[in-house]
Amino acid sequence: MKYLLIIILSYFQLSNLTGQAWTKPKGEGFYKLDYTLIHTNQVFDPGGKIVPFRTLGNHTFSLYGERGITDKFTLQAYIPFFVRNVLNETKGAQSGVLLEPGIENNNIGDIDIAFRYALPFGKLPVSATLLLGLPTGNSTQNSGLFTGDGEFNQMLKISTGVGATKWWTQFGFGFNNRTKGFSDEVRYDAEFGYKMLSDKLLTIFKLSGIESLNNGTEGATSTGLFSNNVEFLSPGLEFLYFVKPKFGFSFRAAGAVKGQNVLAAPSFSFGIFAQ
Amino acid sequence: MKQVFLMLSSIIFLSSCIGTDLIEETEVPEQVLISTNISSIKIGDEVLFEAIYTNKYGMTENKQVIWSTSTPETVSVTSSGLIRALKAGDAVIKATAANAETTRIIKVSADPVIETGINTRSGIFMSAGSGSYTVTGDVMITTQNGKSKITVKDNFKASIGPSLFLLLTNHTNGSYMVVNNNPAINGTSAQISLNRLTNFQGAMSWDVPAGVDVKNYKYALLYCTLGPVFGFAELK
């Protein structure tokens, strides 16, 4: 699968980053503790059709942080420090006999480290991000219920945007080079953010997607259903509410309107953040 | 704030537990399956026959099995299923449990019996209509000397799946039992591959586990334990 969950969760998590066209000023940072849930019994199959699936729950507790090392250089990290995947048991509806036991896998997920650098393009904010996906998750569980894909990937992404006091919009485009026979990917996103309620509520609409180049090997694919040749187009909406000027709560919902080899269900995230 | 925290904690706790998915089952005839795959013995030999009873959902149940023989002077059988070859000839051994029964013809001869014939059944995989998941290619079961083997040929190709198993089944609706490393056998299905498949095309073969009489099953089937039946072949 194989797995799947981890992959789309990672994507959703990273897509949660906002304002990536801009680097953080030196010494400033943004930190977030998040819980993300996906619970579904449907999946987008390799042809993009939605098919029934054994009910699966994915629970990810993560830390995200970014900090301006200099005005033009920002360090980012996404650490899914606890991932719990559960697969329902199955029973015969009439006989009541246990057909297959439930499965669970509790582990750390794949950590992402990223370096964002402001490129000199005059007044237009343009940044380049190098993201390294570390295979820290579990990719050997017997039933394919992985928490990581087991491969080291590198993504180079260019982002740009425009903004004013109350709003901003940005666009990003990246190429993700995957190893161990996994297919490379093109990732893209577009985002619009707006501040309301005297700047206490930040509302962000984001559209993100992945297109697989489908150039991997079968050996990579066979290790898990969803970790290879994943594609989706995902709209998401996030609210960040500032209880205090530097502290608040967040809620985010994201889903896939089309996809392949990925769960056909929305993800919901609850978090607290500080900056 | 406290209420929000409690609500979130409840959501996390409840949704993170392992739940139960109910799978609709197809009714099949009650069966008694003689799992001892022997049909010829020599005079003086004894063999313990074993049988399992499966109910209308194909699930194994503990029922008393009653053994009998058509010609006790040729082959005798005890209440526990121990048969003894007494003289040359044929005998029909019958096992009865609840409302089901089955028979096995036993040939008795003076010399050790070597079965040289090969019984073959074959079929062509077709997709089960589960989205884009497909299976194509030829499959064949050969049985010789009481041992069976399932072979898929060069033209075999299946969609890649995370938890795909090869089964022999009596229906195609997906309510099968699968156990890693310890094949599940009942009246609905017999698990042939011990573990999930990691190769999805080309020629491959599997030894049929002991205790599985291939004659009792109608289909060879590829089943993803996470959900769909990928495809099946009716064996003829």
Side-chain angles (χ1 to χ4, degrees), chain B residues 16-71:
Chain B
S16 66
C17 294
I18 294 176
T20 301
D21 288 354
L22 296 178
I23 310 295
E24 290 297 320
E25 295 171 291
T26 299
E27 289 194 17
V28 294
E30 293 176 61
Q31 290 186 88
V32 178
L33 309 173
I34 296 176
S35 56
T36 308
N37 208 2
I38 288 175
S39 57
S40 56
I41 55 178
K42 70 172 185 174
I43 295 171
D45 278 358
E46 291 182 343
V47 177
L48 180 63
F49 268 34
E50 294 180 335
I52 58 173
Y53 165 80
T54 61
N55 62 23
K56 62 181 179 179
Y57 301 115
M59 298 305 163
T60 305
E61 272 187 34
N62 283 326
K63 295 280 186 185
Q64 182 185 8
V65 177
I66 298 169
W67 296 93
S68 61
T69 173
S70 62
T71 49

Side-chain angles (χ1 to χ4, degrees), chain B residues 137-148:
Chain B
D138 297 317
V139 58
M140 184 171 67
I141 297 181
T142 54
T143 303
Q144 185 177 26
N145 295 329
K147 292 184 178 179
S148 298

Side-chain angles (χ1 to χ4, degrees), chain A residues 26-57:
Chain A
K26 180 180 179 181
E28 290 191 12
F30 177 83
Y31 311 96
K32 189 175 176 186
L33 175 64
D34 223 25
Y35 163 70
T36 299
L37 163 69
I38 296 181
H39 191 79
T40 185
N41 60 0
Q42 291 184 320
V43 63
F44 286 106
D45 73 8
K49 296 178 182 174
I50 294 177
V51 297
F53 198 71
R54 201 163 147 190
T55 303
L56 190 152

Side-chain angles (χ1 to χ4, degrees), chain B residues 36 38-42 49 71 74-75 83 85 89-93 103-109:
Chain B
T36 308
I38 288 175
S39 57
S40 56
I41 55 178
K42 70 172 185 174
F49 268 34
T71 49
T74 304
V75 176
I83 69 167
D90 291 352
V92 178
I93 300 296
T103 58
R104 173 77 56 82
I105 298 174
I106 302 295
K107 294 181 181 299
V108 179
S109 59

Side-chain angles (χ1 to χ4, degrees), chain A residues 1-3 35 37 39 41 43-55 57 59 61 84 86-104 140-144 146 218 221-226 243 249 261 270, chain B residues 1 4 7-8 11-27 55 57 59-60 129-133 157-163 174-181 184 186 196-201 223-228 230:
Chain A
M1 174 136 357
K2 98 199 176 255
Y3 246 26
Y35 163 70
L37 163 69
H39 191 79
N41 60 0
V43 63
F44 286 106
D45 73 8
K49 296 178 182 174
I50 294 177
V51 297
F53 198 71
R54 201 163 147 190
T55 303
H59 309 264
F61 294 85
R84 173 171 169 78
V86 295
L87 200 59
N88 274 7
E89 66 179 13
T90 61
K91 280 186 175 178
Q94 284 74 31
S95 68
V97 169
L98 178 68
L99 300 174
E100 293 164 63
I103 304 168
E104 61 182 331
T140 58
Q141 205 264 353
N142 279 342
S143 299
F146 303 157
E218 183 176 303
T221 308
S222 68
T223 61
L225 178 59
F226 296 99
V243 179
F249 298 99
N261 294 325
F270 308 89
Chain B
M1 179 71 72
V4 171
M7 185 181 73
L8 285 177
I11 291 173
I12 294 171
F13 176 76
L14 292 173
S15 63
S16 66
C17 294
I18 294 176
T20 301
D21 288 354
L22 296 178
I23 310 295
E24 290 297 320
E25 295 171 291
T26 299
E27 289 194 17
N55 62 23
Y57 301 115
M59 298 305 163
T60 305
S130 301
S132 305
Y133 298 112
K157 184 170 186 179
S159 297
I160 293 167
S163 186
S175 56
Y176 316 117
M177 187 181 291
V178 171
V179 181
N180 274 324
N181 293 315
N186 55 46
R196 61 192 174 99
L197 303 189
T198 53
N199 292 319
F200 301 93
Q201 63 181 353
Y223 170 55
C224 176
T225 63
L226 299 180
F230 279 25

Side-chain angles (χ1 to χ4, degrees), chain A residues 116-132:
Chain A
R116 193 161 81 226
Y117 187 75
L119 298 177
F121 273 86
K123 291 185 178 179
L124 186 68
V126 178
S127 73
T129 301
L130 174 64
L131 180 145
L132 305 176

